[in-house]
Structure formats: C-alpha cells, structure tokens
C-alpha cells in the first residue's frame, strides 16, 4: 500500500517557500467532476493558506464555475475566468497554414485555398477546425502529399462525418431519451439566449405540452429522477447550453443547436454509440 501523501505543512518543512526559485503551476482538468475529498486541497491552494508558491489552474466544461463556487472557491477575479470560444478567422487560417508547412506539403497552382476553406467551414470552433484538418490530412495521405490532387468533396464529406460523430458523443443517454424535449427547448430559445429560470420554466412547460397522435411522447418528458432544474444543469454540463453575456444561456455552437433540433425531429434516429 502506498504511503499517504504529505500534508502542506510537511511540504513547507521539506521545501521552505524561500527555497523555491519559481512557482509551480498545478493544472487540474475536468474540474467539473471534482469530489468532496479534493475540495479542501483546492480551497487551500486558492486562498494561499499553505504559503507555498503553487498556482492552481482549473479547466473544465461550462458548469465548472458553478461547481468550484459550491466548493468554496469564490474569490475569483474577472480576469481569472476565461470562456473558450471560437477562433478569429485569421487564427483558424494560420492553424491550417502551420499544419501544411509543418508537414511540408507541396503547394502548387490550382490547389484549393484550404486555409480559407477550412476556416470558413469550421466557423472558428476549435473542434470543428481540428476535425477539418484531420479530414484534409487523410486525403493528403491518399494523394501522396500533392495538395492539387486532393478531392475537395472527399475532404468535406469526411469532415461532416467527423463532426456528426463528435456531436453524437455529446448526447448523453438522458438527452437521447428526451430528444424531443431538448429540440423543443432549443427551438424556443431566443438567439440572444435566456436566463436560467426562464429556460427551466420552458423545460417544464414543454413537458406539459403533448401533441395529439405523437407516437413518441415519452421523448418530450424529463428523464427519470430529473426536474427542470436538474435537466438544465445537465444540458450545461453536456455543452448544449453555456453561460454567456449578462448571465444569459445559449447553445454555444450554432451548428450543434441545429443538430440537436434535427436529431429530436428524426423519427428514425439511431441512439448514440458507446
């Protein structure tokens, strides 16, 4: 059995703060899943109680700030919280340019302007851009590195398939079972977003709305064990909703919103894979 981890006080004795030549950055990913056992450590680091030059950097999904606030990490400066969004068009184009240069791809006249095309195709969203670059790379292998020989349609078809796989992976069993409810709520959501209590009320209202002859009315109901508040939190956790300007929540990626609406309307849908 492994020995217990040293306490902060023991670390101070072994490694006095004045002996540290530079601070240590402690990166914690998936912080939205933090459990009570880790709360005490995070709070002490956040408040500087150990007196050690350790800086915690936390990364997670859209509900992470709510989770860490409940843990007691409340003294967060405005500049301390950053929401990752879309890249600027120039940044997206530069990423594709860097890939082509790094891979020493031959650039010839007549080739598609892939940096511009993939930048526009991705709308600047990093995951979309990554999948688009993966699609281009796969076709470049087939074309033996000749950019002019790459088939545009093949790249775009592959990118679309990768995007759909990524979206299906975001759909939880709860969202799949309530797919029509998700679609109805996102359809009713204003373009500028809505406040949390308004969305929770809309969830409850949609559950009370039954369509005559609807063969799948269960898909308009809340998952077992969830009320409107819990389902709202679940949609935030899965990335279907994200807090935006003036505490309004919206679907952060427009194409994901369209996908969820279409998924809810598809009577021949297939459940998401493992």
């Amino acid at each position: 059995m492994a020995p217990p981890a040293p306490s902060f006080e023991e670390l101070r004795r072994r490694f006095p703060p004045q002996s540290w030549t530079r601070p240590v950055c402690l990166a914690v990913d998936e912080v939205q899943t933090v459990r009570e056992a880790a709360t005490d450590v995070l709070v002490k680091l956040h408040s500087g109680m150990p007196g050690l030059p350790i800086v915690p950097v936390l990364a997670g999904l859209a509900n992470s700030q709510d989770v860490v606030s409940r843990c007691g990490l409340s003294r967060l400066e405005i500049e301390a919280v950053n929401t990752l969004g879309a890249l600027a068009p120039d940044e997206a184009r530069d990423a594709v340019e860097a890939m082509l240069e790094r891979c020493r791809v031959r650039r010839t006249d007549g080739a598609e302007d892939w940096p511009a095309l993939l930048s526009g195709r991705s709308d600047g969203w990093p995951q979309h851009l990554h999948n688009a670059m993966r699609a281009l790379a796969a076709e470049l292998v087939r074309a033996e590195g000749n950019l002019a020989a790459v088939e545009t349609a093949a790249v775009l078809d592959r990118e679309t398939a990768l995007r759909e796989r990524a979206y299906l992976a975001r759909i939880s069993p709860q969202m799949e079972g309530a797919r029509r409810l998700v679609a109805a709520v996102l359809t009713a959501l204003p373009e500028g977003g809505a406040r949390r209590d308004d969305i929770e009320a809309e969830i409850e209202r949609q559950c009370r709305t039954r369509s005559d002859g609807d063969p799948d009315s269960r898909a308009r109901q809340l998952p077992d064990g969830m009320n409107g508040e819990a389902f709202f939190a679940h949609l935030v956790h899965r990335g279907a909703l994200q807090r935006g300007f003036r505490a309004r929540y919206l679907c952060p990626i427009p194409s994901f919103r369209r996908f969820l609406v279409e998924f809810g309307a598809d009577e021949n849908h297939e459940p998401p894979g493992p």
Side-chain angles (χ1 to χ4, degrees), residues 173-184 203-204 206-227 231 263-264 266-267 269:
Q174 293 88 341
M175 291 171 65
E176 194 277 330
R179 65 190 184 283
R180 293 198 177 186
L181 173 60
V182 174
I203 291 172
E204 299 284 359
Q206 290 291 345
C207 288
R208 296 192 296 269
T209 302
R210 299 291 188 95
S211 299
D212 293 337
D214 186 348
D216 198 2
S217 61
R218 182 73 184 93
R220 288 189 72 96
Q221 300 307 298
L222 283 163
D224 292 339
M226 281 191 175
N227 57 17
F231 195 55
F263 182 78
D266 183 6
E267 296 183 359
H269 80 283

Side-chain angles (χ1 to χ4, degrees), residues 131 159-169 259:
N131 285 332
E159 183 273 338
T160 298
L162 289 172
R163 181 183 298 208
E164 291 187 355
R165 280 175 54 190
Y167 283 164
L168 283 173
F259 183 89

